[in-house]
Amino acid sequence: MSGPRPKTCDSCGRGIAPSEVYYRFTLVLEGEQDVLGSSAGEGSTDELAALLKQLEQGPESPQEWEDQVHWERSGVVCTACRSVVVRTLSAPPDPAGPH
């Protein structure tokens, strides 16, 4: 009987031994937009049709557009990369005010 297979950090590529702590992650980025154009949210059917036509005639493939709207990854990271991810995705500290 063999033990668990070694894992590889999805961020840095370093091998993670079975005896090491690792962290599972799932990250989903979903594009959203509250208002189309600059007409304060009052997009007419004609404006939406023009926007769709512009998108259809653009050089991007439907897959490229989908990737811009929904991107999802999951995997494992080592302890060092976890620290980087947490620091990157943590809210910035409150401003100290005027100097």
Side-chain angles (χ1 to χ4, degrees), residues 15-29:
I16 303 171
S19 61
E20 287 184 81
V21 173
Y22 62 91
Y23 299 86
R24 293 199 170 279
F25 72 89
T26 300
L27 179 61
V28 177
L29 300 177

Side-chain angles (χ1 to χ4, degrees), residues 32-44 47-49 51 55:
E32 295 185 8
Q33 186 172 353
D34 292 333
V35 177
L36 289 176
S38 60
S39 58
E42 298 178 10
S44 70
E47 289 173 326
L48 293 175
L51 178 59
L55 293 174

Side-chain angles (χ1 to χ4, degrees), residues 51-88:
L51 178 59
L52 283 174
K53 185 172 184 171
Q54 178 184 353
L55 293 174
E56 290 169 352
Q57 293 176 344
E60 295 85 359
S61 71
Q63 183 62 46
E64 288 173 305
W65 283 112
E66 184 176 330
D67 289 344
Q68 289 183 27
V69 174
H70 182 89
W71 184 86
E72 188 171 336
R73 295 292 183 271
S74 62
V76 297
V77 292
C78 65
T79 302
C81 288
R82 177 200 178 274
S83 297
V84 172
V85 170
V86 168
R87 187 171 53 248
T88 301

